[in-house]
Amino acid sequence: DAVLGGVRRLLAPGGEFYFSDVYADRRVPERVARDPLLYGECLGGAPYWGDFLCLAQRHGFADPRLVEHRPLAVTDPALAARTAGVGFHSATWRLFKLDGLE
């Protein structure tokens, strides 16, 4: 929230920003979010894809564009068991400061 708000303030009109992160295909359950190992692996803190879009739009990035994404495989059997039911993706979004966009 703070990052997108700060970026919005710093961008000049017409400016753009690329934002890459790990995203989840659903809201991560508390057991995943509170797991220190999963958090350290960038899985526990992964935002839900849809929540990120809402957050970007709330900060005035009306038309986020997906630049690239790929599924992330959790190949460690112990970690896969702890994240069961949640799919993860690496994605890059392109956000624009376009004040007149409807």
Side-chain angles (χ1 to χ4, degrees):
D1 197 43
V3 170
L4 292 183
V7 167
R8 175 77 179 160
R9 282 189 302 278
L10 292 173
L11 280 178
E16 62 184 75
F17 175 70
Y18 287 78
F19 192 85
S20 296
D21 205 352
V22 173
Y23 298 88
D25 64 358
R26 66 202 66 215
R27 291 183 183 96
V28 294
E30 280 296 314
R31 64 176 167 73
V32 174
R34 294 185 181 270
D35 186 305
L37 180 59
L38 295 176
Y39 192 83
E41 294 290 332
C42 297
L43 302 176
Y48 167 52
W49 194 287
D51 288 344
F52 173 77
L53 290 174
C54 290
L55 178 67
Q57 291 171 347
R58 189 169 74 234
H59 281 286
F61 297 108
D63 191 23
R65 302 286 176 97
L66 183 61
V67 175
E68 63 182 353
H69 75 92
R70 64 180 174 82
L72 294 177
V74 181
T75 57
D76 181 301
L79 294 181
R82 292 157 86 167
T83 61
V86 181
F88 297 96
H89 300 265
S90 173
T92 300
W93 291 90
R94 188 175 177 196
L95 306 173
F96 304 91
K97 185 174 183 178
L98 302 171
D99 293 330
L101 188 64
E102 292 180 7

